[in-house]
Amino acid sequence: MRIASLGSGSKGNATLVSHEGTTILIDCGFSLRQFERRLSKLDLAPENIDAILLTHEHSDHGAGVERLATRYDISVWSTTGTARAVFDSSFTYRVVSGGHSIKIGCFDILPVTVPHDAGEPVQYVFHHVASGKRLGILTDTGHITAHIIQAYDHLDGLLLEFNYDQTMLDTGPYPFPVKQRVSGDLGHLSNDQSLKLLRQIDTSSLKCLIAGHISAKNNCPTIVSQQLSQLDDIPSPVLADQESGFGWITV
Ligand SMILES: [Zn+2]
Ligand SMILES: [Zn+2]
């Protein structure tokens, strides 16, 4: 299976997971025109997308989903709590709930409940049934729970949030209440929290690590790279970028 991103960060997210005939989009925080422009760089057309999975209603994830789905007639999967916050009441979607796998094409996909300041947020773990490979996406999470450690254990690929460096957040430009929100239990994962997760899960089969949702104001790719280089048994990471995301990576 393979993964690509059209952009990662607080200004918009859209991630693609694909294998043979099945292509799934996770979130769309871009306008329709932006999305089409970014997707064309991957030589993919919107008509190739089989389904959209939504993680939560924050605009950097959900703002473009309804328009895109309606324009190209793509089915959308969302928790009820997220859908209530983001879609028109007449919009049709399929319901997912944390802990209950769904099957789309060649994938079994597990929605994982995460602590974040949204209505009913989930993140997703993809299981490619034929090869047995597993790929996890984990962003927009305030802290690591036992439940997360269990769901993200022993993956082949992982896109993991490295949102902020604690010192840069403390000394940075955000107003105090926003700093509290970002670093709170329902905010985002710091570099330290994500590094700690990598020590808590079995990474022996991890061949692909992508650091994503890196804050432009409260973090720096150099710091993320330096910190990750301290873990010797982890593959050298790809850093996802707000403007260009990252191209296809095979897991
Ligand atoms: Zn976000
Ligand atoms: Zn969020």
Side-chain angles (χ1 to χ4, degrees):
M1 82 178 110
R2 54 186 194 150
I3 180 170
S5 163
L6 306 182
S8 177
S10 60
K11 293 198 172 73
N13 296 271
T15 311
L16 290 145
V17 173
S18 172
H19 185 77
E20 291 171 356
T22 309
T23 298
I24 297 170
L25 173 69
I26 303 93
D27 292 333
C28 181
F30 299 109
S31 69
L32 187 59
R33 190 201 256 179
Q34 270 281 330
F35 177 82
E36 289 168 341
R37 183 182 68 75
R38 289 168 183 253
L39 191 70
S40 67
K41 292 184 187 166
L42 294 176
D43 284 330
L44 207 64
E47 290 85 354
N48 300 129
I49 296 169
D50 297 292
I52 304 171
L53 301 179
L54 186 54
T55 60
H56 65 298
E57 67 267 32
H58 291 161
S59 62
D60 56 324
H61 299 264
V65 170
E66 184 168 341
R67 180 115 194 269
L68 172 65
T70 305
R71 170 74 180 78
Y72 292 101
D73 194 22
I74 306 169
S75 65
V76 173
W77 301 69
S78 166
T79 64
T80 307
T82 296
R84 279 200 186 125
V86 76
F87 299 139
D88 276 357
S89 55
S90 59
F91 183 76
T92 308
Y93 65 95
R94 299 183 192 212
V95 178
V96 299
S97 48
H100 298 277
S101 291
I102 56 169
K103 188 166 170 47
I104 303 176
C106 59
F107 296 112
D108 272 346
I109 304 156
L110 178 69
V112 182
T113 299
V114 293
H116 190 54
D117 53 358
E120 194 184 350
V122 289
Q123 295 290 317
Y124 294 99
V125 174
F126 288 75
H127 177 207
H128 180 247
V129 181
S131 66
K133 288 196 173 174
R134 293 171 69 242
L135 166 70
I137 296 173
L138 182 64
T139 71
D140 299 76
T141 294
H143 65 281
I144 299 297
T145 62
H147 182 63
I148 290 173
I149 294 171
Q150 192 182 23
Y152 288 82
D153 196 41
H154 206 70
L155 296 167
D156 299 277
L158 174 60
L159 166 55
L160 177 61
E161 171 170 59
F162 280 76
N163 189 274
Y164 66 96
D165 172 77
Q166 188 68 59
T167 308
M168 284 185 73
L169 179 70
D170 290 343
T171 57
Y174 280 12
F176 185 64
V178 182
K179 291 182 183 184
Q180 278 186 310
R181 188 242 145 196
V182 169
S183 62
D185 267 358
L186 298 178
H188 289 273
L189 290 175
S190 69
N191 296 345
D192 291 339
Q193 285 172 302
S194 293
L195 285 171
K196 191 174 171 201
L197 172 67
L198 289 170
R199 293 194 189 95
Q200 288 173 304
I201 55 175
D202 178 352
T203 54
S204 59
S205 58
L206 191 67
K207 283 164 208 79
C208 155
L209 175 66
I210 302 151
H213 218 306
I214 299 170
S215 169
K217 294 218 164 67
N218 306 309
N219 209 352
C220 154
T222 317
I223 293 177
V224 175
S225 297
Q226 272 168 3
Q227 294 196 328
L228 277 166
S229 67
Q230 292 161 13
L231 304 178
D232 2 294
D233 46 348
I234 299 284
S236 63
V238 171
L239 269 55
D241 178 270
Q242 178 68 79
E243 190 41 47
S244 53
F246 53 87
W248 287 114
I249 297 171
T250 300
V251 175

